[in-house]
Amino acid sequence: MASMKIHGAEAIMVAVIFLAAVLPSHASTTVDEPANYYKPTAPAPPPPAPYSSPPPQVQPVIVVHGVIYCKYCRLRGYNSGMEASPLPNATVSLVCYGDEESKYRVLNQTSTAADENGYFIVMVYDLEMFDRHSCRVYLRSSPTPLCAKPFLPSNPKLGLTLVRDRKATPPRGARGVFHPRPEALMYTPGTGAKCPPPY
Ligand SMILES: *[C@@H]1O[C@H](CO)[C@@H](O)[C@H](O)[C@H]1NC(C)=O
Ligand SMILES: *[C@@H]1O[C@H](CO)[C@@H](O)[C@H](O)[C@H]1NC(C)=O
């Protein structure tokens, strides 16, 4: 029995020595722990975003673009070959006539106001409605009564047909780029009317 007790005491002593060696002292934790080395210098990782934003979706679109000019007037940007000048702020309508499949809906979109080069654009997101064969481009508005008589098309109820623009670089998401044929729509001064003053 006595020897058993001695053995028990020895076992406890061994355990205490073992634990002392294994458990780090306070000194060793502050000096040797990698966490304490790196915490001050390493930047905190960014907190996880509450909602991770999905990659930006590019909405499919059809682009119709062209130019609007004022025929027979020498304004800024006059083109002698065309005998016409860009007509800034004029607009066109793109009208697409739906078929049975689209329940005969009619899409009627106004272009951007023409810029200083007469350039306009229409972005069509209602792709179901776009079929180049059933869409037409019409003169819609002139910025000045001095150049507001429809010239091309001369009958404002007859729109221009569309053709695919193969030279254009399609913007992101574009399923197609089209322009009217001919590419330039035109207003002109009414009979006997003067051109707008050059600006
Ligand atoms: C076009 O419209 C804008 C805004 O209404 C105007 O500031 C500008 O002078 C117009 N441009 C021309 C050439 O009429
Ligand atoms: C398209 O809308 C414009 C502006 O509301 C209108 O003047 C024009 O008549 C419409 N065209 C067609 C074909 O419905």
Side-chain angles (χ1 to χ4, degrees):
M1 285 305 245
S3 74
M4 283 273 287
K5 276 206 164 153
I6 288 161
H7 277 128
E10 272 177 356
I12 289 163
M13 282 299 282
V14 166
V16 166
I17 290 161
F18 176 78
L19 285 173
V22 166
L23 291 175
S25 69
H26 282 300
S28 75
T29 50
T30 50
V31 175
D32 292 334
E33 280 219 337
N36 282 346
Y37 260 86
Y38 293 116
K39 251 180 205 160
T41 51
Y51 308 102
S52 57
S53 47
Q57 291 282 310
V58 179
Q59 220 182 329
V61 65
I62 297 278
V63 173
V64 175
H65 65 177
V67 289
I68 315 176
Y69 274 64
C70 178
K71 182 75 173 179
Y72 302 133
C73 292
R74 287 176 179 268
L75 309 173
R76 189 181 300 165
Y78 180 69
N79 180 315
S80 54
M82 296 166 77
E83 290 186 278
S85 311
L87 191 56
N89 289 342
T91 62
V92 305
S93 300
L94 174 73
V95 180
C96 297
Y97 302 91
D99 56 8
E100 193 177 358
E101 206 177 317
S102 48
K103 302 188 175 63
Y104 302 105
R105 282 193 299 137
V106 175
L107 175 135
N108 183 350
Q109 261 187 261
T110 304
S111 70
T112 57
D115 69 9
E116 61 191 11
N117 301 310
Y119 177 80
F120 68 82
I121 186 167
V122 185
M123 308 278 275
V124 180
Y125 292 99
D126 191 353
L127 297 193
E128 187 193 46
M129 285 302 296
F130 187 88
D131 170 3
R132 82 169 182 87
H133 301 287
S134 61
C135 297
R136 298 287 183 274
V137 177
Y138 299 88
L139 288 168
R140 170 152 157 67
S141 70
S142 167
T144 168
L146 298 176
C147 192
K149 182 184 174 191
F151 182 84
L152 207 170
S154 56
N155 181 345
K157 295 203 181 326
L158 296 180
L160 300 183
T161 55
L162 293 175
V163 291
R164 194 176 274 275
D165 188 339
R166 302 198 181 276
K167 293 170 298 174
T169 311
R172 252 161 72 80
R175 295 290 169 84
V177 181
F178 296 82
H179 65 71
R181 184 168 54 196
E183 213 163 330
L185 290 88
M186 297 194 197
Y187 283 106
T188 195
T191 318
K194 283 204 179 99
C195 283
Y199 41 78

